């Protein structure tokens, strides 16, 4: 294909050297494009994971961890002794017994821990696969798989 320079005197064809240089720049740009797309997707994977964490537990990670630990200790003690603050506050807020509150805290924490492990595994896998994607089609397949995983996990966790 012949390319032209637009000048005030009209279109002047590229020289063979200019054609080669133009082709080399185009090839370089095309080669860089998948790398740029990969980097953007890898960044997006981390952002998606961070968003799920934020939407599920927000900035209360230490609060939830303490509740989980207190509930586990109370359950291990056979639901006897002083009711931990995290358990009693849940029971009072929901109008349920300390044992039900304890079991609810543990069940919720277990569900989150399972989801968190799955999120980590899928996040690391998606980033590794994206980094090794050989072309845009492969990257698009990885993106679609990641999007489906994120949608399913959000549904599972009840966050939209």
């Amino acid at each position: 294909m012949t390319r032209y320079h637009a000048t005030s005197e009209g279109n002047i064809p590229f020289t063979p050297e200019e054609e080669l240089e133009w082709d080399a720049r185009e090839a370089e740009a095309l080669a860089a494009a998948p790398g740029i797309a990969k980097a953007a997707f890898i960044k997006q994977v981390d952002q998606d994971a961070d968003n799920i964490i934020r939407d599920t537990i927000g900035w209360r990670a230490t609060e939830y961890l303490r509740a989980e630990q207190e509930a586990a200790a109370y359950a291990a003690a056979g639901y006897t002794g002083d009711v931990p603050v995290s358990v009693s506050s849940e029971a009072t807020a929901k109008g349920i017994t300390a044992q039900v509150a304890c079991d609810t805290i543990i069940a919720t924490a277990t569900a989150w821990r399972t989801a968190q492990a799955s999120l980590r595994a899928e996040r690391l896998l998606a980033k590794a696969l994206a980094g090794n994607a050989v072309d845009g089609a492969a990257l698009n397949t990885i993106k679609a798989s990641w999007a489906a995983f994120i949608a399913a996990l959000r549904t599972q966790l009840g966050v939209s």
Side-chain angles (χ1 to χ4, degrees), residues 67-90:
E68 178 184 5
Q69 291 168 340
E70 288 181 357
Y74 186 59
Y79 307 100
T80 59
D82 291 337
V83 178
V85 173
S86 295
V87 175
S88 66
S89 62
E90 177 108 358

Side-chain angles (χ1 to χ4, degrees), residues 67-68 70-79 83-84 86-88 90-91 94 96-111:
E68 178 184 5
E70 288 181 357
Y74 186 59
Y79 307 100
V83 178
S86 295
V87 175
S88 66
E90 177 108 358
K94 294 183 177 177
I96 55 179
T97 67
Q99 182 172 343
V100 170
C102 180
D103 292 343
T104 300
I105 291 169
I106 291 170
T108 301
T110 300

Side-chain angles (χ1 to χ4, degrees), residues 10-49:
N11 291 334
I12 299 173
F14 275 20
T15 65
E17 293 80 17
E18 289 172 323
E19 287 283 349
L20 288 173
E21 184 181 333
W22 187 273
D23 289 344
R25 276 193 254 156
E26 275 188 342
E28 187 177 302
L30 287 173
I36 292 168
K38 285 179 187 182
F41 175 65
I42 288 169
K43 184 177 180 181
Q44 184 64 50
V45 166
D46 284 337
Q47 288 174 343
D48 290 344

